[in-house]
């Protein structure tokens, strides 16, 4: 869903579409006769997860209640416009962190920051309607379901904040980096992997956003054959993982839960897993592995490095 300039909204309304399940990510195609709007002009209307949101002027006091979107706002040059972020937004370090909650948003606390734009990833506690009562525009940018969603949301935030050129630069750089990683990925490694979300253990299948990042490198996801894989995030048993015996294990529960090769070895039936014996347990940065903003490139680089090392050990290239 790309931004639609209010000046030309009448000509474009019929062409706007939402991606499946109401997620962000589908490009709005302008009518061929509609003139292009100059970059950075306001008012602007964004087709977001909560429908069309019109922003009358360039925001000067942005509140972000999403760690992913905080990262994006700073990456596209909107950092100076951000006056407050939620208590989970820990990157970049200069983000003005507060005790605001993105999981239990409080209208009074948000309004106290005098925002002229609020960015969230979910409409929890009916925050969109509540802030609408005091005329504060809210952009709902849902969790990405594919990489193109990430690109679209970055471009949308660029348009919403008057930073379109920088947003386009960020997206272009991301696409170039991801294409390079895909081109350099070892071919025909036939490697299997397990991506752990937490030590329950929950995993992510190939149909999820994170699974699609792994797909760039031609890996086979053991979670795809789990009995409860239909939802995309199956809860696996220790026995299931042990029987699948993945070549690579990626841990996204390191900072939160202290997981490592050593802790995995203490789980029933895991100490002899190939990934442990071959030292192919990769500790990811929990934050990078759970967000869908500009740092997905960092995640892909970490995965790519592990695949390259494992492929070299198997004698493949």
């Amino acid at each position: 869903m790309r931004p639609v300039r209010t000046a030309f909204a009448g000509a474009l309304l019929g062409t706007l579409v939402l991606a499946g399940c109401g997620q962000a990510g589908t490009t709005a195609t302008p009518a061929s006769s509609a003139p292009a709007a100059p970059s950075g002009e306001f008012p602007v209307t964004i087709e977001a997860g909560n429908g069309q949101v019109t922003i009358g002027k360039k925001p000067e006091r942005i509140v972000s209640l999403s760690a992913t979107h905080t990262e994006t706002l700073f990456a596209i040059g909107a950092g100076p416009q951000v006056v407050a972020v939620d208590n989970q937004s820990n990157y970049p370090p200069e983000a003005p962190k507060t005790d605001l909650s993105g999981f239990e948003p409080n209208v009074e606390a948000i309004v106290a920051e005098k925002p002229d734009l609020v960015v969230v990833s979910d409409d929890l506690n009916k925050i969109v309607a509540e802030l609408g009562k005091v005329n504060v525009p809210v952009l709902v940018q849902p969790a990405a379901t594919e990489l193109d969603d990430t690109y679209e949301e970055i471009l949308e935030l660029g348009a919403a904040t008057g930073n379109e050129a920088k947003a386009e630069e960020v997206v272009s750089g991301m696409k170039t980096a991801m294409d390079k990683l895909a081109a350099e990925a070892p071919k025909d490694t036939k490697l299997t992997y397990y991506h752990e979300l937490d030590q329950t253990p929950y995993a992510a299948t190939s149909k999820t956003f994170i699974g699609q990042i792994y797909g760039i490198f031609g890996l086979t996801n053991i979670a795809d054959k789990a009995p409860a894989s239909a939802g995309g995030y199956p809860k696996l048993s220790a026995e299931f993982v042990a029987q699948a015996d993945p070549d690579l294990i990626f841990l996204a529960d390191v900072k939160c839960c202290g997981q490592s090769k050593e802790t995995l070895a203490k789980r029933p039936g895991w100490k002899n897993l190939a990934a442990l014996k071959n030292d192919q347990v990769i500790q990811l940065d929990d934050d990078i592995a759970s967000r869908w903003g500009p740092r997905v490139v960092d995640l892909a680089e970490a995965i790519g490095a592990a695949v390259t090392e494992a492929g070299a050990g198997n004698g493949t290239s």
Side-chain angles (χ1 to χ4, degrees), residues 154-266:
I154 293 172
L155 293 173
E156 289 167 9
L157 285 176
T161 63
N163 294 279
E164 276 187 296
K166 181 61 177 177
E168 291 172 356
E169 179 183 325
V170 169
V171 168
S172 177
M174 291 175 67
K175 289 181 176 180
T176 297
M178 296 297 279
D179 288 345
K180 184 173 184 290
L181 286 169
E184 294 176 349
K187 304 299 186 293
D188 302 321
T189 61
K190 295 182 174 62
L191 295 170
T192 59
Y193 80 95
Y194 160 57
H195 175 93
E196 180 167 291
L197 297 172
D198 65 28
Q199 68 272 35
T200 306
Y202 274 96
T205 70
S206 297
K207 294 181 179 180
T208 64
F209 176 81
I210 187 70
Q212 291 175 26
I213 301 299
Y214 282 100
I216 293 172
F217 303 96
L219 301 176
T220 298
N221 191 340
I222 67 164
D224 290 348
K225 293 185 178 180
S229 63
Y233 297 97
K235 181 179 179 180
L236 308 180
S237 66
E239 293 76 16
F240 178 89
V241 177
Q243 184 174 2
D245 196 12
D247 298 304
L248 296 150
I249 295 178
F250 294 88
L251 300 177
D253 51 0
V254 178
K255 292 193 295 187
C256 75
C257 315
Q259 296 306 293
S260 65
K261 175 183 174 182
E262 289 69 32
T263 63
L264 296 189
K266 297 177 182 179

Side-chain angles (χ1 to χ4, degrees), residues 61-74 78-79 81-92 95-103 105 110 113 115-122 131 136-139 141 157 161 291-292:
R61 297 187 62 82
I62 301 171
V63 171
S64 171
L65 299 182
S66 161
T68 293
H69 300 319
T70 295
E71 293 190 14
T72 296
L73 288 165
F74 276 81
Q81 299 160 253
V82 178
V83 296
V85 302
D86 70 297
N87 54 14
Q88 299 301 307
S89 291
N90 54 7
Y91 186 89
K97 189 175 180 180
T98 69
D99 59 0
L100 292 174
S101 173
F103 298 106
I110 296 169
E113 299 292 344
D116 48 17
L117 177 64
V118 175
V119 182
V120 300
S121 57
D122 294 286
L131 287 174
V136 176
V138 182
L139 283 181
Q141 302 281 52
L157 285 176
T161 63
R291 298 173 187 174
W292 61 95

